[in-house]
Amino acid sequence: MKAITQEITEELLAVMDMYQRIARQLIDKMILETDQPDRTEILAGAYHLLTNADVIHGEEELTGNWYFDVHGEHCMFRNTETGQTRRHRKC
């Protein structure tokens, strides 16, 4: 078994941080662009209250062509233009 080098470890950690940052941006976008019934509590950190609420501007997707689906403790985001997909645990 080969050892993972420090360089590879640092690269993996950087990619993980980037993935987490993108997921957080998408969750924030969903909170701001949808009619979440418990918005005040969600903004205070109660992400488990996120729902598949309607998009405020009357579209099917969030800005930037992002489709979302809240299911259980997870959110899934898919860019309908690029096919890029992100899944994130809500809490």
Side-chain angles (χ1 to χ4, degrees), residues 13-62:
L13 290 172
V15 169
M16 290 167 57
D17 286 343
M18 182 178 60
Y19 186 91
Q20 180 69 21
R21 197 169 38 256
I22 292 169
R24 173 60 42 208
Q25 289 170 352
L26 290 170
I27 286 176
D28 290 344
K29 178 185 285 284
M30 181 177 58
I31 293 168
L32 295 174
E33 295 184 19
T34 61
D35 189 20
Q36 293 294 324
D38 298 308
R39 181 182 309 276
T40 303
E41 290 113 305
I42 293 167
L43 289 171
Y47 298 115
H48 65 282
L49 297 175
L50 284 169
T51 65
N52 279 320
D54 292 334
V55 177
I56 292 172
H57 54 75
E59 299 293 325
E60 294 290 320
E61 303 167 343
L62 304 173

Side-chain angles (χ1 to χ4, degrees), residues 68-84:
F68 67 94
D69 183 30
V70 178
H71 48 281
E73 294 180 8
H74 297 86
C75 297
M76 186 276 298
F77 298 92
R78 181 175 41 83
N79 189 293
T80 56
E81 193 171 290
T82 66
Q84 181 181 14

